[in-house]
Amino acid sequence: MIADIEKYIEIQNNIDQILKDSPFKISYIIEKTGIKKPTFFKKMKEKRFTSEELLSIAKVMEPVYRNETHEEILESLKRAEEDIENGRTVSFREFLAEKRKKLIQSNNDKSRNN
């Protein structure tokens, strides 16, 4: 538990650099989190985001920007090996078909919203 709290403190203390180094524009993160722009920049400067706000920021950044620990990576690999052993896999063609379907759906959703 101490390591988790120390990691939280490290994130809180370095959030400005984490955001600057991320592949996302800060304006995108602000938009997705719903935190008002002046409030966001003040909190970033003072390093005073609440735990809920940090979680909201992390959820926006999660798909691309994830700092997994060594143990998390090993656990993920172990689950993948178990999936393969138990036949919980899909062919590459099935994978592509599913991704195409999601892409088309996403494009259709964007068209409806514009």
Side-chain angles (χ1 to χ4, degrees):
M1 189 160 106
I2 292 172
D4 293 331
I5 295 169
E6 287 174 340
K7 183 68 175 172
Y8 172 80
I9 292 169
E10 179 185 342
I11 291 169
Q12 182 75 283
N13 289 337
N14 296 305
I15 189 64
D16 55 340
Q17 194 61 47
I18 292 168
L19 292 170
K20 288 174 187 170
D21 292 344
S22 85
F24 298 98
K25 291 185 177 184
I26 292 181
S27 59
Y28 174 79
I29 296 169
I30 291 170
E31 175 189 333
K32 293 297 181 184
T33 60
I35 302 170
K36 293 186 181 341
K37 189 175 182 177
T39 303
F40 189 96
F41 282 106
K42 181 178 181 190
K43 287 181 177 240
M44 187 171 74
K45 180 181 177 188
E46 296 174 355
K47 301 177 184 191
R48 290 189 41 218
F49 286 103
T50 66
S51 55
E52 291 81 12
E53 290 166 336
L54 284 175
L55 180 59
S56 179
I57 292 167
K59 286 180 179 178
V60 172
M61 297 171 64
E62 182 71 19
V64 174
Y65 193 82
R66 180 154 190 232
N67 247 350
E68 290 180 304
T69 65
H70 181 71
E71 291 79 19
E72 289 172 324
I73 293 169
L74 290 176
E75 181 61 32
S76 179
L77 290 171
K78 181 180 174 185
R79 283 193 312 271
E81 287 175 350
E82 289 171 358
D83 285 344
I84 292 168
E85 288 174 9
N86 294 312
R88 293 186 299 258
T89 62
V90 295
S91 71
F92 184 66
R93 287 182 190 267
E94 291 171 315
F95 173 79
L96 281 180
E98 181 62 28
K99 292 300 174 188
R100 282 189 183 113
K101 181 180 172 184
K102 286 183 180 182
L103 180 61
I104 291 168
Q105 182 63 44
S106 175
N107 288 339
N108 288 342
D109 290 347
K110 287 178 185 175
S111 295
R112 277 188 238 129
N113 292 335
N114 290 331

